[in-house]
Amino acid sequence: MSNDKYRILSTRHLTDSSIAVAAENGILIEVKDFIQIKPVTLPALKGTTPGWNNTYTSNIFQAPNVSVFTSANAINVLEQHYFSIGSDRKNGLFTFFLRDHANICCISGKTLQKAREVFPDCNILASSPYGSELAAAIIALGNISEVNFYCGNQRREELPSTLKQAGIRVNEFVIYENIPAPEVTTTDYDGVLFFSPSAVKSYLSTNRLPGKTVCFAIGRTTATALGEYTDNKIIMSTNISEDALVQTAIFYFNNINCYE
């Protein structure tokens, strides 16, 4: 017999460890991806040299160039679809050499973690939880005149707009698309985990939230998007990471009387 007291839905893939921790605290998490990531191939970014089609891609990540990321999805797409040279992908010696000591400015949490994984020995010049704050941190460095911004087709305007207003040139590379993957759910969940405004829109395009369902948002931007669609209780995680959002849900349901 299950000991689960609460059932919640995650609108994005979670690690097995996060699901296990929730289960240990009496919470069953079901996962349904409401957003699909579709890579976009940019010929200009991949280069044109036969047999070495990612030489240009790797070179533009070398210092003094500055790379900006506001989503781990962009780094995943670069790693899986741009940083490969046929059979050399297995050992990655060539691509890792050219990505060594990259200058990076990125969102904290999962994006920062992925940046450190994909770009060995990178220099993290600036990191902040939100795009507007990241832009301010980049400007505050005082020595950045141009950045390469890797993003998706649903990226927000705050970061590039703020940088441009400060006189910083932004070379924007849209390397993936956020594709809504709405699905009707028939379960009355006690809570739903949301990781992005696009997931909010996708989920609520086909589902109505029961009045008792609590919405958990990974950050301020997602919480704001939820407020535009529902009057249900919205609780924002203390940090923009998967672990923080799951722990926020665990704390809420373990201390539910404190929220009444």
Side-chain angles (χ1 to χ4, degrees), residues 20-36:
V21 169
E24 292 171 0
N25 286 272
I27 299 173
L28 173 66
I29 297 183
E30 296 181 9
V31 176
K32 296 181 185 293
D33 288 319
F34 280 81
I35 293 293
Q36 294 180 353

Side-chain angles (χ1 to χ4, degrees), residues 23-88:
E24 292 171 0
N25 286 272
I27 299 173
L28 173 66
I29 297 183
E30 296 181 9
V31 176
K32 296 181 185 293
D33 288 319
F34 280 81
I35 293 293
Q36 294 180 353
I37 302 301
K38 179 183 178 182
V40 173
T41 299
L42 300 180
L45 183 59
K46 288 188 78 90
T48 58
T49 305
W52 295 93
N53 65 352
N54 79 330
T55 302
Y56 175 71
T57 305
S58 299
N59 275 331
I60 64 174
F61 290 99
Q62 289 184 287
N65 295 333
V66 176
S67 302
V68 176
F69 301 100
T70 55
S71 169
N73 290 325
I75 305 176
N76 285 328
V77 169
L78 283 173
E79 179 185 32
Q80 296 170 14
H81 299 276
Y82 286 88
F83 294 155
S84 62
I85 315 175
S87 60
D88 288 341

Side-chain angles (χ1 to χ4, degrees), residues 207-258:
N207 297 283
R208 296 186 64 182
L209 287 165
K212 69 164 189 172
T213 303
V214 180
C215 299
F216 296 94
I218 197 169
R220 185 174 62 222
T221 304
T222 302
T224 299
L226 275 166
E228 297 173 356
Y229 285 90
T230 180
D231 293 326
N232 283 40
K233 182 177 293 183
I234 301 170
I235 297 179
M236 192 172 71
S237 62
T238 55
N239 201 346
I240 56 167
S241 69
E242 172 185 313
D243 179 67
L245 187 59
V246 172
Q247 289 295 334
T248 297
I250 291 172
F251 182 85
Y252 173 84
F253 287 117
N254 283 347
N255 300 273
I256 196 166
N257 292 334
C258 298

Side-chain angles (χ1 to χ4, degrees), residues 121-172:
D121 298 319
C122 64
N123 303 311
I124 303 298
L125 304 181
S127 178
S128 299
Y130 300 103
S132 57
E133 296 173 3
L134 179 59
I138 294 172
I139 294 169
L141 291 173
N143 60 346
I144 306 298
S145 60
E146 181 177 358
V147 300
N148 295 326
F149 178 34
Y150 303 90
C151 60
N153 65 323
Q154 298 293 322
R155 66 105 171 109
R156 296 178 63 84
E157 183 62 33
E158 291 92 341
L159 183 140
S161 177
T162 301
L163 292 180
K164 291 174 184 177
Q165 290 174 10
I168 296 176
R169 179 176 177 178
V170 179
N171 304 313
E172 186 170 318

Side-chain angles (χ1 to χ4, degrees), residues 34 181-185 200-208:
F34 280 81
E183 178 180 343
V184 175
T185 62
V200 170
K201 185 175 181 179
S202 178
Y203 174 83
L204 291 174
S205 68
T206 54
N207 297 283
R208 296 186 64 182

